[in-house]
Amino acid sequence: MDNIICPFQIPIYQSFIEEDSFIQIKKDVNVFIDNNFNLFNNKWDCPTLTTQGVSIEQNIKSTKLIEEIQYHVQNFWNIWEFATTKELCIGEMWVNISKKESYQEIHDHGDYLFSGTIYTNVDNYSGNFVLQNPLSVENILMRDSNILSKSYSITPKNSMIVLFPSWMQHRVSQNKSNIDRISISFNIRAKIN
């Protein structure tokens, strides 16, 4: 119908890392975990182990990982059609390990432009990544509408990358798998020129 507009759509980016790059990234992540398990802690109000808060210099270093993040972030930036050009950089990056029954409570990364996650060790039972609909008032007042939902859920796959606005509330469902869910998370900053 041409008389209907949807002015408040919020793009979410979901793609996959090319296989050769992913194999190297997964290897780099596993070596990092084996050599730096002492850096992991329970920083949040949930059982997920993380290196979040550890300086970027001490966190995972992987040339392929940085290249892939930069490539996909640039794609996401282009989708937003910003009026000005900015230099984008990784402000933070960390590794998460969620054992069986671990989860991540709802939160946001509000001081950054974009945030993202790359999955390196998941299966269909590892727990979905859930983005909350920011139009919460509409959800309360129009809860019977079939076009509005309270959340958008993504079942993670190995090599998947998800990017979203940092202010967007999100959480991770409980890991019901027998394998550890391993992911790399990061925040992107736009440098002011």
Side-chain angles (χ1 to χ4, degrees):
M1 296 173 47
D2 5 344
N3 58 341
I4 301 296
I5 60 168
C6 295
F8 303 119
Q9 292 179 349
I10 301 165
I12 304 300
Y13 183 92
Q14 181 179 321
S15 190
F16 289 90
I17 292 171
E18 183 232 286
E19 186 177 0
D20 289 343
S21 294
F22 178 69
I23 289 168
Q24 183 61 53
I25 290 167
K26 183 169 182 158
K27 180 181 171 192
D28 293 345
V29 168
N30 291 338
V31 167
F32 174 78
I33 291 169
D34 289 344
N35 293 335
N36 297 281
F37 198 75
N38 61 309
L39 296 176
F40 287 81
N41 61 65
N42 289 98
K43 180 175 174 78
W44 306 302
D45 295 331
C46 67
T48 296
L49 296 172
T50 185
T51 59
Q52 204 275 334
V54 172
S55 73
I56 202 160
E57 293 78 22
Q58 286 183 285
N59 252 301
I60 184 167
K61 293 170 184 60
S62 167
T63 304
K64 280 284 179 209
L65 175 61
I66 301 302
E67 288 172 2
E68 288 293 332
I69 289 172
Q70 289 171 335
Y71 171 78
H72 290 282
V73 164
Q74 188 60 54
N75 288 344
F76 192 40
W77 170 269
N78 294 342
I79 289 165
W80 280 88
E81 298 180 11
F82 285 105
T84 58
T85 303
K86 301 264 188 235
E87 183 182 345
L88 304 176
C89 64
I90 299 170
E92 289 182 303
M93 184 166 52
W94 61 96
V95 179
N96 304 301
I97 303 173
S98 298
K99 299 194 173 295
K100 188 168 186 168
E101 299 184 6
S102 292
Y103 60 90
Q104 178 69 57
E105 74 276 12
I106 193 161
H107 64 285
D108 64 51
H109 306 200
D111 291 340
Y112 290 91
L113 177 67
F114 299 143
S115 295
T117 299
I118 297 170
Y119 297 97
T120 64
N121 195 61
V122 293
D123 65 21
N124 287 336
Y125 306 100
S126 293
N128 286 352
F129 180 74
V130 182
L131 291 154
Q132 294 301 120
N133 185 341
L135 302 174
S136 58
V137 173
E138 285 79 355
N139 274 331
I140 292 167
L141 298 175
M142 301 175 161
R143 73 179 74 219
D144 293 334
S145 170
N146 289 325
I147 66 167
L148 289 173
S149 64
K150 290 184 181 178
S151 62
Y152 179 71
S153 189
I154 297 170
T155 301
K157 304 284 183 209
N158 287 318
S159 83
M160 179 184 282
I161 180 170
V162 177
L163 296 166
F164 53 96
S166 295
W167 50 260
M168 188 170 251
Q169 295 260 305
H170 56 283
R171 64 182 176 82
V172 181
S173 312
Q174 190 175 58
N175 181 5
K176 296 188 186 237
S177 174
N178 290 319
I179 67 167
D180 291 349
R181 180 180 62 231
I182 299 175
S183 61
I184 305 145
S185 295
F186 52 91
N187 289 324
I188 302 298
R189 175 178 285 126
K191 287 186 180 175
I192 298 169
N193 297 331

